[in-house]
Amino acid sequence: MNNTNNEEPSSLQKKLLPRHISFMAMGGVIGTGIFKGSAETVGIAGPGVIFSYIFAGLLLLVVMSAIAEMATIYKGKNMKEFIREAFGERFSFVIGWLYCFMWLSVCVIEIIAAGSFLQYWMPEVPLWLLSLACAAFIIIINTMSVGGYGEFEFWLAGIKIAMIIVFIVLGVCILFGIIPGTNSPMLHNFTGNGGFFPNGWTAIFSALLVVMFSYGGSELIGLTLSETQDAEKVLPRVVKSFILRVILFYTLPILIICGLVPWNSLNEHTSPFVQVLTSAGLQGAAHLINFILITAVLSAANSGIYGATRMLHSMAKDGEAPAALGRLSKKGVPINSLKLSGIVLIAGSMIAYLTQEGLFRLLMAVPGFVVILVWISICMAQFKLRRTYPHEPGFKVWGYPYITLITIFCLSLIALMFIFDAQNRISIGVCLGVLFILIIYSFLKFRTSNKRTSS
């Protein structure tokens, strides 16, 4: 028994299948960003916001391709270890802890959101109690073996993906008058109310600040490599299909929403999906969407805890976090990392109970900014390592080095937009403060040794 508990961190179980890792990443991406946050992005740029999602999707394609390329060279290593291979332990330490900070922030947001959605059915129950129940549910799911976890997340993410597909089909039928008795606006809402770009084409770039938050989590695939059989063969196939699905699952529903409801009449406090189905006169739409919203945010939180615990495990293995965080349970789960994440979720729920509105404003911009830094680091690692590969990669980023450099440049510009955006001043200040502390601590922690370790 004790031998099992004291296994080396490298003994993570390789039980994730291609469908698991694809849906896990989609579970992290398709959450509040599409079901609720799309109202905000449409309010910023109107129907033309789909170009924000397409542009961000192209950047994401390069990032995911970079991960897939490095996976074919450095077998058995994950996203953080690619960064460590390229830039050493200090850089890896900073990015690793930032990534954990990002995911735990997301998880706090998601469980509080889940609690607020549950209040629709149980208004008498306090928000903090419902949020704690959601946190306990997510922690219990993450104690399962990675194979069982992957299967559960596959079905949890599948529910909201199925909902989006049904919504697209139903929306097209309503939009073009295929369903009898419904008011078909055809293309009027795309041309009226200021047209396709009511706030000008520059609003597309303003919306990117929210879109980046929505797409954050896609890179989670880069952390599944240690628990995926033949990851170097599986990942390139998954990446190709994953990017197309993500872009379609964001752009098509938003086109439907803007086609059925005028962009300037969307209420940011209600899901656009609810508004569309309600306007179509479909009874029970609110209850159905509320159920989907709960599964969506719980799925995103589920993926987030996986991402945080696997990153902490990887850091513990490389001496960048306390060794105790690398300890595995009998089922191959980083149990101490999971306990730490659970403590953060509980604390986050209670803090949100005390200052709910302020905390939401504080946390929402954190994931978007941090994920940009992580994406930049991935692209920089691929750019640097490509020239030192021991053999030709089985999968390559197209247009290297120009496409990689262009992606780094675009992501850097978006990061600067975050920094100088007045609405995100507090959130970005927190991020920059955490970044500064991590940089200082990295120099103190690794001051006695400059050697890089490769496992």
Side-chain angles (χ1 to χ4, degrees):
M1 293 284 188
N2 291 335
N3 290 340
T4 304
N5 286 340
N6 294 322
E7 286 178 351
E8 291 298 314
S10 58
S11 60
L12 286 172
Q13 300 172 359
K14 294 183 178 293
K15 293 185 177 180
L16 291 179
L17 303 175
R19 62 186 176 91
H20 290 156
I21 62 176
S22 180
F23 273 56
M24 283 169 60
M26 293 184 75
V29 175
I30 302 175
T32 52
I34 178 64
F35 286 106
K36 205 167 184 179
S38 53
E40 184 176 354
T41 59
V42 171
I44 294 173
V49 76
I50 63 167
F51 291 102
S52 302
Y53 286 98
I54 292 172
F55 177 68
L58 293 175
L59 297 178
L60 176 60
L61 175 61
V62 179
V63 174
M64 301 291 281
S65 297
I67 294 175
E69 177 185 299
M70 290 185 285
T72 65
I73 296 295
Y74 304 103
K75 299 178 182 179
K77 293 189 176 183
N78 61 31
M79 175 181 75
K80 186 198 73 71
E81 290 166 327
F82 299 155
I83 296 172
R84 182 184 177 93
E85 185 75 24
F87 302 111
E89 53 197 6
R90 286 175 180 162
F91 199 101
S92 171
F93 171 86
V94 172
I95 293 298
W97 279 108
L98 266 182
Y99 195 69
C100 293
F101 172 64
M102 178 200 81
W103 267 123
L104 292 176
S105 298
V106 169
C107 290
V108 170
I109 294 171
E110 303 289 6
I111 63 167
I112 297 171
S116 67
F117 294 142
L118 284 171
Q119 278 191 316
Y120 181 79
W121 293 319
M122 296 174 283
E124 303 85 6
V125 182
L127 175 62
W128 66 268
L129 188 58
L130 293 173
S131 298
L132 283 178
C134 292
F137 175 74
I138 293 301
I139 295 301
I140 290 172
I141 295 304
N142 276 268
T143 60
M144 300 168 63
S145 68
V146 68
Y149 165 84
E151 195 66 26
F152 184 88
E153 177 59 24
F154 172 80
W155 290 106
L156 198 62
I159 292 174
K160 56 187 176 184
I161 292 171
M163 170 58 197
I164 291 177
I165 294 173
V166 170
F167 178 83
I168 292 171
V169 173
L170 185 62
V172 169
C173 293
I174 297 173
L175 189 62
F176 294 101
I178 299 175
I179 298 180
T182 56
N183 183 22
S184 173
M186 299 298 284
L187 301 178
H188 173 72
N189 288 330
F190 292 124
T191 56
N193 304 298
F196 208 72
F197 300 99
N199 298 324
W201 65 271
T202 55
I204 293 173
F205 300 100
S206 299
L208 281 172
L209 302 183
V210 183
V211 172
M212 297 307 293
F213 163 75
S214 301
Y215 278 174
S218 305
E219 73 295 326
L220 184 67
I221 283 179
L223 287 179
T224 67
L225 301 179
S226 300
E227 296 176 281
T228 306
Q229 292 182 356
D230 300 321
E232 66 280 1
K233 298 178 182 178
V234 168
L235 196 57
R237 296 200 307 268
V238 170
V239 165
K240 292 175 184 177
S241 60
F242 173 80
I243 297 296
L244 180 61
R245 290 175 188 172
V246 167
I247 293 177
L248 290 179
F249 285 161
Y250 269 91
T251 56
L252 292 182
I254 288 175
L255 280 175
I256 297 297
I257 290 168
C258 293
L260 294 176
V261 179
W263 71 271
N264 53 359
S265 67
L266 289 176
N267 180 1
E268 291 185 11
H269 300 291
T270 306
S271 170
F273 287 72
V274 172
Q275 295 178 60
V276 167
L277 295 179
T278 302
S279 67
L282 298 177
Q283 300 299 321
H287 291 286
L288 173 63
I289 292 297
N290 198 57
F291 171 74
I292 299 299
L293 286 171
I294 291 170
T295 60
V297 295
L298 288 179
S299 173
N302 202 31
S303 296
I305 290 298
Y306 177 91
T309 55
R310 267 50 179 190
M311 179 61 81
L312 287 170
H313 170 271
S314 177
M315 294 176 68
K317 183 182 68 174
D318 291 334
E320 299 165 359
L325 294 177
R327 178 173 170 264
L328 300 178
S329 69
K330 298 175 183 178
K331 296 179 179 179
V333 176
I335 191 65
N336 287 336
S337 294
L338 183 58
K339 290 177 182 177
L340 176 61
S341 300
I343 292 171
V344 172
L345 287 189
I346 293 171
S349 300
M350 300 312 296
I351 293 173
Y353 166 71
L354 298 173
T355 56
Q356 184 178 344
E357 292 298 323
L359 186 65
F360 264 76
R361 285 195 299 270
L362 181 68
L363 291 178
M364 285 301 286
V366 169
F369 182 70
V370 173
V371 81
I372 289 175
L373 299 183
V374 173
W375 288 10
I376 291 172
S377 302
I378 292 169
C379 290
M380 289 172 57
Q382 184 266 341
F383 177 77
K384 181 179 180 181
L385 292 174
R386 168 70 83 88
R387 292 166 290 181
T388 63
Y389 288 164
H391 56 83
E392 280 292 304
F395 178 88
K396 292 183 179 181
V397 174
W398 179 81
Y400 174 88
Y402 306 108
I403 294 298
T404 303
L405 289 174
I406 290 172
T407 301
I408 293 171
F409 176 74
C410 291
L411 290 172
S412 300
L413 283 182
I414 298 172
L416 288 175
M417 290 169 60
F418 262 103
I419 292 173
F420 292 107
D421 184 63
Q423 291 184 335
N424 296 326
R425 197 163 289 160
I426 296 178
S427 302
I428 300 305
V430 171
C431 288
L432 293 177
V434 171
L435 178 61
F436 178 77
I437 292 171
L438 288 173
I439 291 173
I440 296 299
Y441 188 74
S442 71
F443 278 93
L444 294 176
K445 180 176 177 62
F446 301 109
R447 67 184 183 276
T448 58
S449 173
N450 289 322
K451 77 174 183 178
R452 284 169 39 189
T453 57
S454 298
S455 57

